[in-house]
Structure formats: C-alpha cells, structure tokens
Amino acid sequence: MKKKIGLLFGSFNPIHNGHLVIAQAVVNAHLTNEVWMTVSPQNPFKDPKNLLNQYDRLHLVQLAVADNIQIKACDIEFKLPKPSYTIDTLTYLQERYPNYEFVVIMGEDNLEHFAKWKNHEKILKYYTLVVYPRMGYTAPDEYKNNPRITFLEVPRLEISATYIRQTIKAGGSVRYLVPDKVFDYIAATKLWS
C-alpha cells in the first residue's frame, strides 16, 4: 500500500495554530500518514508584496513542526516556476515520489473558485481532496457528493495570518495564536514589528 502524503499548501505568513490543528486532524482521521506543510513562494491569488521572504516563512514552519514526525515542512515549490500552481506541484511530486499517494488538503472556501484553478479537472481526476470547514462558506453543490472529496470536521480556529501581522504591528502579543517556538523567533527577530 502506498504511503499517503497530505499536502497543505499555504503562504504561512506566518504559520499559526489553526494550520497545525488542521494538519494533525487529517493524520488523526487516518486520511494520510503524514502532512507536508507546503510553503508557496507566490500564490497566484495573493499579492506578493505582503509576503515575508519565502525562506523566513519556511523557517517558521520548520520551527512549528520540528517535534512532530507526522507533520513536515516542505519547500518543493521553491524549485518550481512562479507563481505556484497546485497541478504542477502535484505532477512534480508524483514523478519524484512514485510510491507515494498525494492528497490535497484545502479549506472549503477554496472550492468556491476551484474551477478557476489551473487544470482543476486533472486534480480531481488523479488526486483526492480533503476539505476542512471555513466559517461562512459552504461547498458548491457539484462537489458535495464527489467520491474524490472527503469533508473533514475539525475544530474551527478562526485565526488568520493577517490578524497576527496586524496585532504584531500594533504592538500586541500573538502568544497562543502561534506555536511557542514561532512566537519566540518572531519576538527575537522583530518580524512584522
């Protein structure tokens, strides 16, 4: 049986406890053996000027998952053309790791514009999706009974990286929103201050 790897893509600007709860819930539900927190250097739907350097974001992910053997930091998109398209990353990973089965983990909000993703039909044809709930979003009807999509109930932590950055800029504390090692590193380096 192939090892199942869940890919949780994100800018992780910065990574926070909400991301980690989702990753652990996917593993706990036995939907994957591991989750790779895949740092996207440039999401085609996001403005790159608000992003911290990709290597700093990767370092924060590495700090966050250092003590968890089921969750890993992944920089595979650093080696691929920008902006990052999920289908290109999946194709590259499948060629590089033919004995792994890759699963895409995404928020329910992404299904709203999934049809705009590059080669979205190929993603659904060759890969499965694990979709977690997002406040205020409901999956479009065409995806609700798709056998390649699993809807996963996870605790909803409505934490956003935007809120974290704004709080830091305003001189507030983000303790309890991010893992302790990430909090310590942000405080020591004055990121976003």
Side-chain angles (χ1 to χ4, degrees):
M1 202 160 120
K2 287 186 173 185
K3 186 174 187 177
K4 280 191 177 184
I5 306 296
L7 300 172
L8 182 55
F9 295 92
S11 301
F12 301 116
N13 192 40
I15 188 167
H16 54 68
N17 290 336
H19 297 130
L20 298 170
V21 166
I22 292 161
Q24 192 63 58
V26 171
V27 174
N28 289 351
H30 306 291
L31 296 171
T32 65
N33 303 100
E34 293 176 5
V35 170
W36 292 0
M37 309 297 275
T38 308
V39 180
S40 300
Q42 185 187 338
N43 178 320
F45 294 108
K46 290 192 177 176
D47 184 350
K49 76 175 181 340
N50 295 320
L51 288 178
L52 192 64
N53 174 290
Q54 65 191 27
Y55 294 100
D56 288 328
R57 290 183 284 124
L58 175 66
H59 183 64
L60 292 174
V61 174
Q62 291 167 332
L63 289 173
V65 302
D67 59 352
N68 189 332
I69 60 168
Q70 295 173 312
I71 304 175
K72 298 181 174 11
C74 177
D75 66 354
I76 201 76
E77 290 195 337
F78 292 17
K79 303 167 180 69
L80 299 174
K82 315 291 183 290
S84 310
Y85 293 101
T86 302
I87 189 62
D88 297 338
T89 305
L90 288 166
T91 303
Y92 181 81
L93 284 169
Q94 204 63 76
E95 288 170 3
R96 190 166 173 189
Y97 302 102
N99 296 322
Y100 288 1
E101 180 182 334
F102 291 97
V103 174
V104 178
I105 303 165
M106 65 165 68
E108 202 165 13
D109 54 319
N110 284 302
L111 287 179
E112 201 171 89
H113 51 84
F114 184 63
K116 294 179 183 170
W117 287 26
K118 180 181 176 184
N119 296 341
H120 72 281
E121 3 18 55
K122 282 189 179 170
I123 296 172
L124 267 182
K125 183 176 179 182
Y126 297 110
Y127 302 93
T128 56
L129 306 181
V130 172
V131 177
Y132 58 88
R134 291 297 297 263
M135 197 75 77
Y137 291 92
T138 304
D141 289 341
E142 69 260 31
Y143 299 119
K144 286 185 179 167
N145 296 312
N146 189 309
R148 303 205 51 91
I149 301 176
T150 300
F151 290 89
L152 178 68
E153 273 305 316
V154 296
R156 294 181 196 205
L157 297 183
E158 294 302 315
I159 303 171
S160 77
T162 302
Y163 174 78
I164 290 169
R165 294 191 307 272
Q166 289 170 345
T167 301
I168 293 168
K169 283 178 187 166
S173 174
V174 295
R175 188 180 296 276
Y176 313 122
L177 297 175
V178 298
D180 290 344
K181 289 179 184 175
V182 172
F183 175 81
D184 292 342
Y185 186 83
I186 289 172
T189 57
K190 305 273 190 258
L191 289 174
W192 296 291
S193 294

